[in-house]
Short mmCIF file of all heavy atoms in Angstrom, two decimals:
data_model
loop_
_atom_site.label_atom_id
_atom_site.label_comp_id
_atom_site.label_asym_id
_atom_site.label_seq_id
_atom_site.Cartn_x
_atom_site.Cartn_y
_atom_site.Cartn_z
N TRP F 504 11.32 -0.93 -16.95
CA TRP F 504 11.11 -0.02 -15.82
C TRP F 504 10.76 -0.78 -14.64
O TRP F 504 10.15 -1.88 -14.82
CB TRP F 504 9.95 0.96 -16.13
CG TRP F 504 10.04 1.81 -17.38
CD1 TRP F 504 9.85 1.32 -18.64
CD2 TRP F 504 10.26 3.16 -17.46
NE1 TRP F 504 10.01 2.40 -19.56
CE2 TRP F 504 10.34 3.53 -18.87
CE3 TRP F 504 10.49 4.23 -16.54
CZ2 TRP F 504 10.50 4.77 -19.31
CZ3 TRP F 504 10.78 5.48 -17.07
CH2 TRP F 504 10.67 5.76 -18.35
N VAL F 505 11.03 -0.42 -13.37
CA VAL F 505 10.59 -1.10 -12.25
C VAL F 505 10.00 0.02 -11.34
O VAL F 505 10.57 1.03 -11.07
CB VAL F 505 11.74 -1.82 -11.52
CG1 VAL F 505 11.16 -2.52 -10.24
CG2 VAL F 505 12.47 -2.84 -12.48
N THR F 506 8.71 -0.21 -10.84
CA THR F 506 8.12 0.76 -9.99
C THR F 506 7.58 0.00 -8.78
O THR F 506 7.32 -1.25 -8.83
CB THR F 506 6.93 1.39 -10.69
OG1 THR F 506 5.91 0.40 -11.12
CG2 THR F 506 7.35 2.17 -11.97
N PRO F 507 7.36 0.80 -7.61
CA PRO F 507 6.59 0.12 -6.62
C PRO F 507 5.20 -0.14 -6.93
O PRO F 507 4.54 0.61 -7.71
CB PRO F 507 6.73 1.12 -5.37
CG PRO F 507 6.92 2.39 -6.10
CD PRO F 507 7.65 2.12 -7.38
N TYR F 508 4.58 -1.16 -6.40
CA TYR F 508 3.15 -1.52 -6.76
C TYR F 508 2.27 -0.38 -6.28
O TYR F 508 2.31 0.09 -5.09
CB TYR F 508 2.78 -2.79 -5.97
CG TYR F 508 1.24 -3.06 -5.98
CD1 TYR F 508 0.69 -3.59 -7.21
CD2 TYR F 508 0.44 -2.65 -5.03
CE1 TYR F 508 -0.67 -3.79 -7.23
CE2 TYR F 508 -0.94 -2.89 -5.12
CZ TYR F 508 -1.49 -3.44 -6.15
OH TYR F 508 -2.88 -3.70 -6.29
N ASN F 509 1.35 0.08 -7.15
CA ASN F 509 0.41 1.03 -6.85
C ASN F 509 -0.83 0.60 -7.63
O ASN F 509 -0.77 0.61 -8.85
CB ASN F 509 0.83 2.53 -7.26
CG ASN F 509 -0.14 3.54 -6.81
OD1 ASN F 509 -1.33 3.31 -7.04
ND2 ASN F 509 0.34 4.60 -6.28
N LYS F 510 -1.93 0.30 -6.96
CA LYS F 510 -3.12 -0.08 -7.63
C LYS F 510 -3.62 0.74 -8.79
O LYS F 510 -4.17 0.29 -9.79
CB LYS F 510 -4.32 -0.25 -6.57
CG LYS F 510 -5.60 -0.70 -7.21
CD LYS F 510 -6.63 -0.71 -6.14
CE LYS F 510 -8.06 -0.89 -6.66
NZ LYS F 510 -9.12 -0.91 -5.67
N SER F 511 -3.38 2.05 -8.66
CA SER F 511 -3.81 3.08 -9.67
C SER F 511 -2.86 3.11 -10.90
O SER F 511 -3.27 3.69 -11.88
CB SER F 511 -4.08 4.38 -8.97
OG SER F 511 -2.86 4.94 -8.60
N GLU F 512 -1.70 2.64 -10.76
CA GLU F 512 -0.72 2.71 -11.85
C GLU F 512 -0.74 1.45 -12.67
O GLU F 512 0.06 0.54 -12.44
CB GLU F 512 0.65 3.06 -11.26
CG GLU F 512 0.72 4.39 -10.59
CD GLU F 512 2.13 4.74 -10.02
OE1 GLU F 512 3.01 4.02 -10.37
OE2 GLU F 512 2.26 5.61 -9.24
N LYS F 513 -1.55 1.40 -13.78
CA LYS F 513 -1.64 0.21 -14.60
C LYS F 513 -1.36 0.52 -16.03
O LYS F 513 -1.03 -0.40 -16.67
CB LYS F 513 -3.05 -0.28 -14.54
CG LYS F 513 -3.52 -0.83 -13.15
CD LYS F 513 -4.91 -1.27 -13.23
CE LYS F 513 -5.56 -1.68 -11.89
NZ LYS F 513 -6.91 -2.10 -12.01
N TRP F 514 -1.50 1.73 -16.51
CA TRP F 514 -1.49 2.03 -17.97
C TRP F 514 -0.31 2.90 -18.31
O TRP F 514 -0.13 4.00 -17.71
CB TRP F 514 -2.80 2.76 -18.31
CG TRP F 514 -4.05 1.97 -17.79
CD1 TRP F 514 -4.85 2.30 -16.80
CD2 TRP F 514 -4.45 0.66 -18.19
NE1 TRP F 514 -5.76 1.42 -16.55
CE2 TRP F 514 -5.54 0.34 -17.39
CE3 TRP F 514 -3.94 -0.30 -19.19
CZ2 TRP F 514 -6.25 -0.94 -17.58
CZ3 TRP F 514 -4.68 -1.42 -19.32
CH2 TRP F 514 -5.76 -1.75 -18.53
N ALA F 515 0.57 2.26 -19.15
CA ALA F 515 1.79 3.00 -19.42
C ALA F 515 1.62 4.31 -20.11
O ALA F 515 2.47 5.21 -19.94
CB ALA F 515 2.70 2.08 -20.31
N ALA F 516 0.66 4.54 -20.85
CA ALA F 516 0.29 5.76 -21.61
C ALA F 516 -0.61 6.70 -20.76
O ALA F 516 -1.00 7.75 -21.13
CB ALA F 516 -0.24 5.51 -22.96
N GLY F 517 -1.07 6.21 -19.58
CA GLY F 517 -2.02 6.92 -18.79
C GLY F 517 -3.46 6.44 -18.92
O GLY F 517 -3.69 5.59 -19.79
N LEU F 518 -4.39 7.03 -18.15
CA LEU F 518 -5.79 6.54 -18.15
C LEU F 518 -6.64 7.19 -19.23
O LEU F 518 -7.45 6.54 -19.79
CB LEU F 518 -6.37 6.83 -16.70
CG LEU F 518 -7.80 6.31 -16.53
CD1 LEU F 518 -7.84 4.74 -16.77
CD2 LEU F 518 -8.32 6.77 -15.10
N PHE F 519 -6.35 8.40 -19.64
CA PHE F 519 -7.10 9.16 -20.60
C PHE F 519 -6.11 9.44 -21.79
O PHE F 519 -5.37 10.36 -21.82
CB PHE F 519 -7.69 10.42 -20.13
CG PHE F 519 -8.82 10.21 -19.06
CD1 PHE F 519 -8.44 9.98 -17.75
CD2 PHE F 519 -10.10 10.16 -19.42
CE1 PHE F 519 -9.48 9.76 -16.81
CE2 PHE F 519 -11.11 9.99 -18.53
CZ PHE F 519 -10.75 9.82 -17.18
N VAL F 520 -6.04 8.55 -22.73
CA VAL F 520 -4.93 8.55 -23.74
C VAL F 520 -5.20 9.28 -24.93
O VAL F 520 -4.36 9.92 -25.56
CB VAL F 520 -4.52 7.07 -24.02
CG1 VAL F 520 -3.43 7.08 -25.12
CG2 VAL F 520 -4.19 6.27 -22.82
N ASP F 521 -6.49 9.26 -25.41
CA ASP F 521 -6.86 9.89 -26.64
C ASP F 521 -6.62 11.44 -26.50
O ASP F 521 -7.06 12.15 -25.67
CB ASP F 521 -8.33 9.82 -26.94
CG ASP F 521 -8.81 10.44 -28.32
OD1 ASP F 521 -7.98 10.56 -29.17
OD2 ASP F 521 -9.90 10.89 -28.32
N ARG F 522 -5.71 11.96 -27.42
CA ARG F 522 -5.29 13.32 -27.42
C ARG F 522 -4.53 13.80 -26.10
O ARG F 522 -4.50 14.99 -25.78
CB ARG F 522 -6.42 14.36 -27.67
CG ARG F 522 -7.18 13.89 -28.82
CD ARG F 522 -7.68 15.16 -29.76
NE ARG F 522 -6.61 15.79 -30.28
CZ ARG F 522 -6.62 16.96 -30.93
NH1 ARG F 522 -7.89 17.64 -30.97
NH2 ARG F 522 -5.63 17.50 -31.51
N SER F 523 -3.96 12.82 -25.42
CA SER F 523 -3.20 13.16 -24.13
C SER F 523 -1.93 13.87 -24.50
O SER F 523 -1.56 13.92 -25.73
CB SER F 523 -2.93 11.80 -23.43
OG SER F 523 -2.01 10.95 -24.16
N ARG F 524 -1.33 14.39 -23.46
CA ARG F 524 -0.12 15.16 -23.71
C ARG F 524 1.20 14.62 -23.04
O ARG F 524 2.16 15.22 -22.91
CB ARG F 524 -0.29 16.59 -23.19
CG ARG F 524 -1.51 17.31 -23.83
CD ARG F 524 -1.57 18.74 -23.41
NE ARG F 524 -2.73 19.44 -24.01
CZ ARG F 524 -3.02 20.65 -23.98
NH1 ARG F 524 -2.25 21.53 -23.27
NH2 ARG F 524 -4.10 21.09 -24.46
N GLY F 525 1.04 13.31 -22.68
CA GLY F 525 2.17 12.61 -22.07
C GLY F 525 2.48 13.01 -20.72
O GLY F 525 3.61 12.71 -20.07
N ASP F 526 1.59 13.67 -19.93
CA ASP F 526 1.82 14.05 -18.47
C ASP F 526 1.33 13.01 -17.59
O ASP F 526 1.34 13.25 -16.31
CB ASP F 526 1.21 15.43 -18.25
CG ASP F 526 -0.28 15.53 -18.72
OD1 ASP F 526 -0.91 14.52 -18.93
OD2 ASP F 526 -0.77 16.64 -18.73
N ASP F 527 0.88 11.89 -17.99
CA ASP F 527 0.42 10.78 -17.04
C ASP F 527 0.89 9.46 -17.51
O ASP F 527 0.36 8.52 -17.20
CB ASP F 527 -1.24 10.76 -17.17
CG ASP F 527 -1.85 9.87 -16.06
OD1 ASP F 527 -1.26 9.81 -15.01
OD2 ASP F 527 -2.80 9.34 -16.42
N THR F 528 2.16 9.48 -18.06
CA THR F 528 2.66 8.28 -18.51
C THR F 528 3.55 7.59 -17.40
O THR F 528 3.86 8.17 -16.36
CB THR F 528 3.58 8.38 -19.73
OG1 THR F 528 4.68 9.16 -19.32
CG2 THR F 528 2.84 9.15 -20.85
N LEU F 529 3.93 6.33 -17.69
CA LEU F 529 4.85 5.57 -16.88
C LEU F 529 6.17 6.41 -16.63
O LEU F 529 6.66 6.44 -15.50
CB LEU F 529 5.15 4.21 -17.43
CG LEU F 529 6.21 3.39 -16.89
CD1 LEU F 529 6.00 3.08 -15.36
CD2 LEU F 529 6.47 2.17 -17.70
N ALA F 530 6.73 7.12 -17.76
CA ALA F 530 7.89 7.88 -17.63
C ALA F 530 7.74 8.95 -16.64
O ALA F 530 8.71 9.29 -15.88
CB ALA F 530 8.22 8.32 -19.02
N VAL F 531 6.59 9.56 -16.60
CA VAL F 531 6.36 10.81 -15.60
C VAL F 531 6.17 10.22 -14.26
O VAL F 531 6.83 10.74 -13.29
CB VAL F 531 5.03 11.49 -16.00
CG1 VAL F 531 4.70 12.59 -15.09
CG2 VAL F 531 5.36 12.22 -17.50
N LYS F 532 5.47 9.12 -13.97
CA LYS F 532 5.27 8.72 -12.65
C LYS F 532 6.59 8.00 -12.07
O LYS F 532 6.82 8.11 -10.90
CB LYS F 532 4.21 7.58 -12.68
CG LYS F 532 2.84 8.10 -12.97
CD LYS F 532 1.79 7.02 -13.14
CE LYS F 532 0.39 7.66 -13.47
NZ LYS F 532 -0.67 6.62 -13.76
N SER F 533 7.45 7.54 -12.93
CA SER F 533 8.69 7.04 -12.53
C SER F 533 9.67 8.14 -11.94
O SER F 533 10.65 7.75 -11.30
CB SER F 533 9.38 6.18 -13.69
OG SER F 533 10.61 5.70 -13.21
N ARG F 534 9.45 9.37 -12.34
CA ARG F 534 10.27 10.44 -11.96
C ARG F 534 10.26 10.62 -10.40
O ARG F 534 11.18 11.26 -9.85
CB ARG F 534 9.84 11.76 -12.58
CG ARG F 534 10.14 11.87 -14.04
CD ARG F 534 9.59 13.17 -14.64
NE ARG F 534 9.56 13.24 -16.08
CZ ARG F 534 8.90 14.10 -16.76
NH1 ARG F 534 8.15 15.06 -16.15
NH2 ARG F 534 8.89 14.08 -18.10
N LYS F 535 9.26 10.08 -9.73
CA LYS F 535 9.17 10.09 -8.29
C LYS F 535 10.36 9.50 -7.59
O LYS F 535 10.77 9.74 -6.46
CB LYS F 535 7.89 9.55 -7.78
CG LYS F 535 6.57 10.17 -8.34
CD LYS F 535 5.31 9.35 -7.86
CE LYS F 535 4.09 9.87 -8.53
NZ LYS F 535 2.96 9.07 -8.18
N ASN F 536 10.97 8.56 -8.42
CA ASN F 536 12.22 7.86 -7.91
C ASN F 536 12.02 7.24 -6.62
O ASN F 536 12.75 7.31 -5.79
CB ASN F 536 13.40 8.79 -7.94
CG ASN F 536 14.70 8.04 -8.04
OD1 ASN F 536 14.76 7.02 -8.62
ND2 ASN F 536 15.77 8.60 -7.59
N ARG F 537 10.90 6.50 -6.39
CA ARG F 537 10.57 5.80 -5.22
C ARG F 537 11.48 4.61 -4.96
O ARG F 537 12.13 4.05 -5.83
CB ARG F 537 9.17 5.34 -5.21
CG ARG F 537 8.16 6.57 -5.38
CD ARG F 537 6.77 6.13 -5.82
NE ARG F 537 6.78 5.81 -7.23
CZ ARG F 537 5.67 5.51 -7.98
NH1 ARG F 537 4.51 5.61 -7.46
NH2 ARG F 537 5.88 5.22 -9.26
N GLU F 538 11.53 4.15 -3.69
CA GLU F 538 12.33 3.00 -3.38
C GLU F 538 11.69 1.74 -3.91
O GLU F 538 10.54 1.52 -3.89
CB GLU F 538 12.46 2.97 -1.90
CG GLU F 538 13.28 4.02 -1.22
CD GLU F 538 13.54 3.93 0.22
OE1 GLU F 538 13.04 2.86 0.81
OE2 GLU F 538 14.26 4.78 0.84
N ILE F 539 12.61 0.78 -4.44
CA ILE F 539 12.07 -0.40 -4.98
C ILE F 539 12.87 -1.68 -4.45
O ILE F 539 12.61 -2.69 -4.84
CB ILE F 539 12.17 -0.44 -6.50
CG1 ILE F 539 13.60 -0.16 -6.99
CG2 ILE F 539 11.11 0.61 -7.05
CD1 ILE F 539 13.78 -0.35 -8.45
N GLU F 540 13.73 -1.44 -3.46
CA GLU F 540 14.53 -2.60 -3.01
C GLU F 540 13.75 -3.24 -1.85
O GLU F 540 13.33 -2.59 -0.90
CB GLU F 540 15.90 -2.16 -2.48
CG GLU F 540 16.75 -3.31 -1.94
CD GLU F 540 18.15 -2.82 -1.50
OE1 GLU F 540 18.35 -1.56 -1.22
OE2 GLU F 540 19.06 -3.67 -1.29
N ASN F 541 13.51 -4.58 -1.97
CA ASN F 541 12.82 -5.32 -0.94
C ASN F 541 11.41 -4.73 -0.78
O ASN F 541 11.02 -4.55 0.38
CB ASN F 541 13.61 -5.43 0.37
CG ASN F 541 13.18 -6.54 1.26
OD1 ASN F 541 12.55 -7.43 0.77
ND2 ASN F 541 13.47 -6.42 2.53
N GLU F 542 10.73 -4.40 -1.81
CA GLU F 542 9.50 -3.86 -1.79
C GLU F 542 8.52 -4.61 -2.75
O GLU F 542 9.00 -5.57 -3.43
CB GLU F 542 9.46 -2.36 -2.39
CG GLU F 542 10.28 -1.50 -1.42
CD GLU F 542 9.60 -1.02 -0.19
OE1 GLU F 542 8.40 -1.34 0.00
OE2 GLU F 542 10.26 -0.46 0.62
N ASP F 543 7.23 -4.28 -2.74
CA ASP F 543 6.29 -4.99 -3.73
C ASP F 543 6.42 -4.17 -4.94
O ASP F 543 6.06 -3.01 -4.98
CB ASP F 543 4.77 -4.77 -3.12
CG ASP F 543 3.80 -5.64 -3.90
OD1 ASP F 543 4.22 -6.20 -4.93
OD2 ASP F 543 2.73 -5.68 -3.57
N ILE F 544 7.03 -4.73 -5.99
CA ILE F 544 7.43 -4.11 -7.09
C ILE F 544 6.75 -4.60 -8.41
O ILE F 544 6.32 -5.80 -8.43
CB ILE F 544 8.99 -4.10 -7.40
CG1 ILE F 544 9.46 -5.54 -7.52
CG2 ILE F 544 9.61 -3.32 -6.29
CD1 ILE F 544 10.93 -5.59 -7.79
N VAL F 545 6.68 -3.84 -9.41
CA VAL F 545 6.15 -4.14 -10.76
C VAL F 545 7.19 -4.05 -11.81
O VAL F 545 7.91 -2.95 -11.79
CB VAL F 545 4.92 -3.27 -11.11
CG1 VAL F 545 4.43 -3.59 -12.55
CG2 VAL F 545 3.76 -3.43 -10.15
N LEU F 546 7.32 -4.97 -12.71
CA LEU F 546 8.29 -4.91 -13.82
C LEU F 546 7.50 -4.55 -15.07
O LEU F 546 6.48 -5.19 -15.38
CB LEU F 546 8.94 -6.36 -13.95
CG LEU F 546 9.92 -6.43 -15.12
CD1 LEU F 546 11.15 -5.77 -14.81
CD2 LEU F 546 10.21 -7.90 -15.46
N TRP F 547 7.93 -3.55 -15.76
CA TRP F 547 7.38 -3.18 -17.08
C TRP F 547 8.33 -3.54 -18.11
O TRP F 547 9.46 -2.99 -18.05
CB TRP F 547 7.00 -1.56 -16.96
CG TRP F 547 6.18 -1.11 -15.91
CD1 TRP F 547 6.58 -0.88 -14.63
CD2 TRP F 547 4.80 -0.65 -15.95
NE1 TRP F 547 5.50 -0.42 -13.82
CE2 TRP F 547 4.38 -0.22 -14.68
CE3 TRP F 547 3.90 -0.62 -17.01
CZ2 TRP F 547 3.13 0.31 -14.38
CZ3 TRP F 547 2.67 -0.01 -16.70
CH2 TRP F 547 2.30 0.35 -15.42
N TYR F 548 7.88 -4.26 -19.00
CA TYR F 548 8.81 -4.61 -20.11
C TYR F 548 8.31 -4.28 -21.47
O TYR F 548 7.07 -4.61 -21.74
CB TYR F 548 9.16 -6.11 -20.11
CG TYR F 548 9.82 -6.57 -21.29
CD1 TYR F 548 11.20 -6.17 -21.56
CD2 TYR F 548 9.29 -7.45 -22.13
CE1 TYR F 548 11.95 -6.54 -22.62
CE2 TYR F 548 10.02 -7.93 -23.37
CZ TYR F 548 11.30 -7.49 -23.55
OH TYR F 548 11.97 -7.91 -24.56
N THR F 549 9.11 -3.58 -22.24
CA THR F 549 8.63 -3.13 -23.60
C THR F 549 9.43 -3.94 -24.73
O THR F 549 10.65 -3.85 -24.71
CB THR F 549 8.79 -1.59 -23.82
OG1 THR F 549 7.94 -0.90 -22.97
CG2 THR F 549 8.46 -1.30 -25.23
N MET F 550 8.66 -4.63 -25.43
CA MET F 550 9.23 -5.39 -26.58
C MET F 550 8.87 -4.69 -27.90
O MET F 550 7.67 -4.35 -28.03
CB MET F 550 8.64 -6.83 -26.63
CG MET F 550 9.00 -7.64 -27.72
SD MET F 550 8.31 -9.43 -27.55
CE MET F 550 6.58 -9.04 -27.46
#
Side-chain angles (χ1 to χ4, degrees):
W504 306 73
V505 182
T506 63
Y508 170 81
N509 185 316
K510 177 184 170 182
S511 66
E512 296 180 10
K513 299 178 181 178
W514 310 110
L518 186 58
F519 293 85
V520 180
D521 181 33
R522 308 221 70 189
S523 62
R524 302 188 182 186
D526 50 11
D527 188 33
T528 67
L529 169 62
V531 171
K532 291 174 180 175
S533 180
R534 291 176 190 166
K535 300 174 187 176
N536 205 23
R537 296 161 289 189
E538 293 185 358
I539 58 173
E540 183 179 16
N541 201 18
E542 299 284 350
D543 190 355
I544 58 177
V545 175
L546 178 75
W547 306 73
Y548 171 65
T549 296
M550 173 176 60

